Amino acid sequence: MTQDGFAAAERIAATLDAVAAALVGEPATYYPAATLRGFRRGATHPSADALFGLRLSPNGPGLLTIHGLGTVVEATSLRRQEPSAGAEALSVLQAKLGSGPVRQVADAPSAAAFQLPVTPEAADEKLRPAFVPPLAALASARGTAAPEELSTGSGVEARLIVPSVFHSLAVRLSGPALASHLTEVASELFAGGRPPVRREWALVAAALADEIAAADVVYAGVSALDVDGRRSRASLVVSLSRRALPIQELSVALSAERPRAEVWTVLLPAGPAALLVEARTAPVPAALTADGQRGWVVSSVVEAFIPLPDGATVLTVQLSTPQAEDWELYATAFAQLLETVQVGWDGVAATPSPIAAPVPVPAVEVQLPAATPPPMPPAPPVMPPAPAPTPVAAPTAPFADRSEAGVPATHLASAPVPAQAAPPAAEEAPRPKGTPVRIPPADFDPFAPPAPAANAPATAPEEAPR
């Protein structure tokens, strides 16, 4: 499987399939399939007040079983299982149930000693289960419910109803309380079994508690059903994952990362979700089998990815069963389970990624002179006009400097240059002098004697200044 942010919870789901294949056999109690077929049959979608009105203590297990309704599961990132609860529960169970070997493990039991958790792999595409009509019906248009308003600091929270035929392993309890809970679950699952069988299940479940908590799994359970005289098993896992992607991008990413799966975008009462159907294969560790030989289990899987409104959390719900012939039974119950999801939020967006964003560099505001255009230096002082000024040829160097600074050439040519600002005489360009050029008339004869001009003065006047 790809490491796409959901692999940890998927390893727990595959591990439950492997453990059930090794330990849940003939001594287990198989409940009638009618208990699962009747789950939410004809019931309306529960309101947010109905689910969020239930008081689930912060120190409680995070779930509450209600007769005739199911098990209400709470998924929130603010309250999680303590990492050391599993090791403490394992010690309590060994003191209560006795020490000794568990299948092929003779030493102190642990997840590593049982070769758990296992890593699943995508099975052949030909083994992929069908996208049955109850799942396809989730893609129809419907109205969605707004998130329930939670008090500030509550973050985002999801609640859903799980069928009571699943026996839970993951609960938010301390070590001794977890040991007591697992003992009760073993008694329910193996009501007709002998104490050694119950002990094996309780110790293996306690060894997995820390692995379940590390994968952010808020609920993990297994079921054993009698379907028309045939034994059938299934696993159910609810978890939270950190992945900030809109639903369309999430569906496209899942399709690219899971080429052997079928991915749909559906619309739940709690909002849009991505629905994935595929076949997975997982090893059954030799440490758990009765003959000490490694085995394999192939499961049909349906998994839902529901982005939560905080923008950084995804609720994942997955169901798997090794009995492909009972696929439609479990898929129908899974579709009804998804319709019970309700979401609450305090309105505060979470950080989409644990990677810190780069700190922006503040822009430095530069005060420019009030000239137009801004790069032009201050204009030279304007001197009063002198009588009959002598035109002076403009020096080339200053104009070139100002033109390079972005000042238009026409603006520089029209600016008057004061006489006192002229360069020294030694460096001044030569000033041309001479008689003004006159254009002769068309009948001008250059060889004719010059005629005196009419009303000509006696003396020639001085040359007019140019």
Side-chain angles (χ1 to χ4, degrees), residues 110-122:
S110 63
F114 292 125
Q115 303 172 9
L116 300 176
V118 301
T119 301
E121 296 180 358

Side-chain angles (χ1 to χ4, degrees), residues 13-14 37 47 59 101 106 191 201 234 262 289 300 302 348 380 404 415-416 426 449:
R37 289 193 179 101
S47 64
N59 298 324
W201 177 265
E262 185 175 359
T289 59
S300 300
V302 57
V348 180
E404 292 177 358

Side-chain angles (χ1 to χ4, degrees), residues 101-398:
V102 178
R103 292 296 171 100
Q104 307 301 324
V105 177
D107 300 331
S110 63
F114 292 125
Q115 303 172 9
L116 300 176
V118 301
T119 301
E121 296 180 358
D124 193 285
E125 189 174 357
K126 297 179 181 179
L127 301 176
R128 184 180 65 199
F131 214 95
V132 295
L135 296 177
L138 298 176
S140 59
R142 72 174 75 197
T144 58
E148 181 75 3
E149 294 184 6
L150 303 181
S151 58
T152 303
S154 300
V156 66
E157 181 179 327
R159 293 192 178 188
L160 63 155
I161 301 176
V162 172
S164 57
V165 296
F166 286 91
H167 306 278
S168 63
L169 280 73
V171 288
R172 199 173 56 231
L173 293 173
S174 61
L178 178 61
S180 178
H181 172 78
L182 295 178
T183 303
E184 294 178 2
V185 170
S187 300
E188 295 173 358
L189 186 56
F190 301 95
R194 295 176 297 174
V197 179
R198 302 178 186 176
R199 173 180 171 271
E200 288 179 349
W201 177 265
L203 291 178
V204 173
L208 281 174
D210 290 345
E211 300 290 340
I212 291 174
D216 289 337
V217 172
V218 298
Y219 180 88
V222 296
S223 68
L225 297 179
D226 184 353
V227 183
D228 301 330
R230 183 181 62 255
R231 296 171 183 170
S232 182
R233 302 185 309 272
S235 303
L236 181 66
V237 172
V238 180
S239 62
L240 293 176
S241 302
R242 302 283 292 182
R243 186 154 182 175
L245 278 180
I247 184 60
Q248 295 296 340
E249 297 182 14
L250 178 59
S251 299
V252 173
L254 289 173
S255 300
E257 295 165 355
R258 316 289 182 91
R260 299 182 181 180
E262 185 175 359
V263 180
W264 284 38
T265 299
V266 299
L267 189 61
L268 306 178
L275 207 58
L276 177 146
V277 172
E278 66 178 350
R280 299 175 189 168
T281 179
V284 180
L288 290 178
T289 59
D291 56 359
Q293 299 294 323
R294 187 186 188 189
W296 295 90
V297 57
V298 179
S299 301
S300 300
V301 182
V302 57
E303 188 169 3
F305 306 85
I306 308 172
L308 298 183
D310 66 339
T313 310
V314 178
L315 174 70
T316 60
V317 186
Q318 53 184 318
L319 184 146
S320 57
T321 177
Q323 277 71 41
E325 59 272 21
D326 301 329
W327 169 248
E328 188 168 357
L329 168 66
Y330 292 111
T332 301
F334 186 80
Q336 296 170 350
L337 182 154
L338 293 181
E339 292 183 340
T340 68
V341 177
Q342 285 284 5
V343 178
W345 186 37
D346 62 356
V348 180
T351 304
S353 174
I355 303 176
V359 179
V361 179
V364 180
E365 183 179 358
V366 180
Q367 298 294 336
L368 298 176
T372 304
M376 187 182 69
V382 179
M383 301 299 295
T390 303
V392 180
T396 59

Side-chain angles (χ1 to χ4, degrees), residues 433-455:
K433 292 184 179 181
T435 304
V437 178
R438 294 185 176 89
I439 299 175
D443 56 351
F444 174 72
D445 185 6
F447 301 101
N455 301 327

